[in-house]
């Protein structure tokens, strides 16, 4: 259970760091570069990837897609936390699990139980209630693009990572290392273009903050994988505890520490999100 708790804490700390980035005027895209550099180093140290498996037969289309999506969605994640807060962004990220579930139903023709359908329906109601406000101006409506992109983006990323996991010819951690390298290159190219166009200047403080960000970002992945190894016969325990834990802890941090304002409807949305995750977990655990 300690691995699940550590993974939850690392995930929420990443959100806190992105929230603080606004306060201290940290350039996120520059931080993303060193974030993936740290991930590459730690991935190499902890997982010992065997690069001999990476040949022309590797699923390069998926690798490249993930390498581009990861830093891109990371920027939307930061923007969502900046504009809408930790609570709503964490829920959007956690409920993105419904994208791979829908993909399983429509693309891979998996059988669905009544409980899973109820979980999906509850999840979409949760999204509606979490982001709805009594009155919204044009700026607030435009801000919806951030959590919506986080929701869809992380869902697509999850689907792609599941496809990577299905490739038994290449160890998952070796694929992960390769994807991090591509993401690092993509982020570096974006920053170099901005520097060449005189739109930004590289600052060491941004890179330093990115290293800290990368430490906790990788910690989230490492402890999540270790939790799945420990609960190998009951992955639904990890799935449910992780998502519920992040929603609960993220809500507490957002409301109590950062004083994020939520309406009664938003709190109903949070409760619905918890119910949705519980229903999906139950459907996977008992296959009813």
């Amino acid at each position: 259970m300690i691995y699940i708790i550590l993974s939850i804490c690392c995930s929420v700390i990443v959100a806190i760091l992105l929230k603080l980035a606004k306060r201290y005027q940290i350039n996120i895209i520059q931080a993303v570069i060193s974030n993936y550099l740290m991930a590459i180093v730690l991935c190499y140290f902890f997982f010992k990837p065997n690069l001999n498996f990476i040949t022309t037969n590797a699923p390069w289309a998926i690798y490249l897609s993930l390498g581009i999506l990861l830093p891109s969605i990371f920027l939307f994640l930061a923007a969502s936390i900046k504009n809408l807060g930790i609570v709503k962004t964490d829920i959007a990220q956690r409920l993105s699990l419904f994208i791979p579930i829908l993909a399983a139903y429509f693309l891979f023709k998996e059988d669905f139980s009544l409980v899973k359908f109820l979980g999906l329906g509850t999840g979409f109601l949760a999204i509606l209630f979490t982001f709805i406000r009594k009155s919204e101006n044009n700026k607030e409506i435009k801000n919806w693009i951030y959590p919506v992109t986080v929701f869809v983006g992380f869902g697509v990323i999850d689907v792609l990572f599941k496809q990577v996991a299905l490739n038994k010819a290449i160890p998952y951690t070796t694929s992960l290392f390769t994807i991090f390298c591509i993401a690092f290159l993509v982020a570096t190219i974006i920053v170099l273009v901005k520097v060449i166009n005189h739109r930004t200047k590289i600052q060491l403080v941004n890179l330093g903050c990115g290293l800290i960000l990368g430490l906790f970002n990788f910690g989230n992945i490492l402890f999540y994988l270790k939790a799945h190894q420990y609960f190998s016969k009951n992955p639904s325990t990890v799935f449910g505890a992780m998502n519920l834990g992040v929603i609960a802890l993220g809500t507490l941090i957002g409301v109590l520490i950062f004083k994020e304002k939520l309406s009664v409807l938003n709190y109903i949305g949070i409760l619905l999100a918890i119910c949705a995750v519980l229903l999906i977990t139950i459907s996977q655990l008992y296959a009813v």
Side-chain angles (χ1 to χ4, degrees), residues 1-11 47 94 97 100 158 161-162 172-173 176 216-232 234-246 277 281 284:
M1 202 58 154
I2 187 65
Y3 290 133
I4 296 176
I5 294 172
L6 288 171
S7 183
I8 291 169
C9 290
C10 285
S11 179
F47 297 145
R94 291 300 142 187
L97 62 94
D158 197 3
F161 267 121
K162 280 181 169 57
Y172 183 79
T173 50
L176 192 63
F216 288 103
N217 213 359
F218 181 80
N220 175 31
I221 296 170
L222 176 66
F223 295 128
Y224 187 68
L225 290 177
K226 284 188 173 294
H228 270 295
Q229 290 173 349
Y230 188 81
F231 291 99
S232 59
N234 194 3
S236 294
T237 299
V238 181
F239 171 87
M242 181 66 189
N243 287 291
L244 290 173
V246 170
V277 173
T281 304
Q284 292 186 340

Side-chain angles (χ1 to χ4, degrees), residues 27 193-201:
N27 185 300
V193 169
K194 286 180 174 290
V195 170
I196 292 171
N197 291 333
H198 305 290
R199 294 175 60 187
T200 188
K201 291 182 179 180

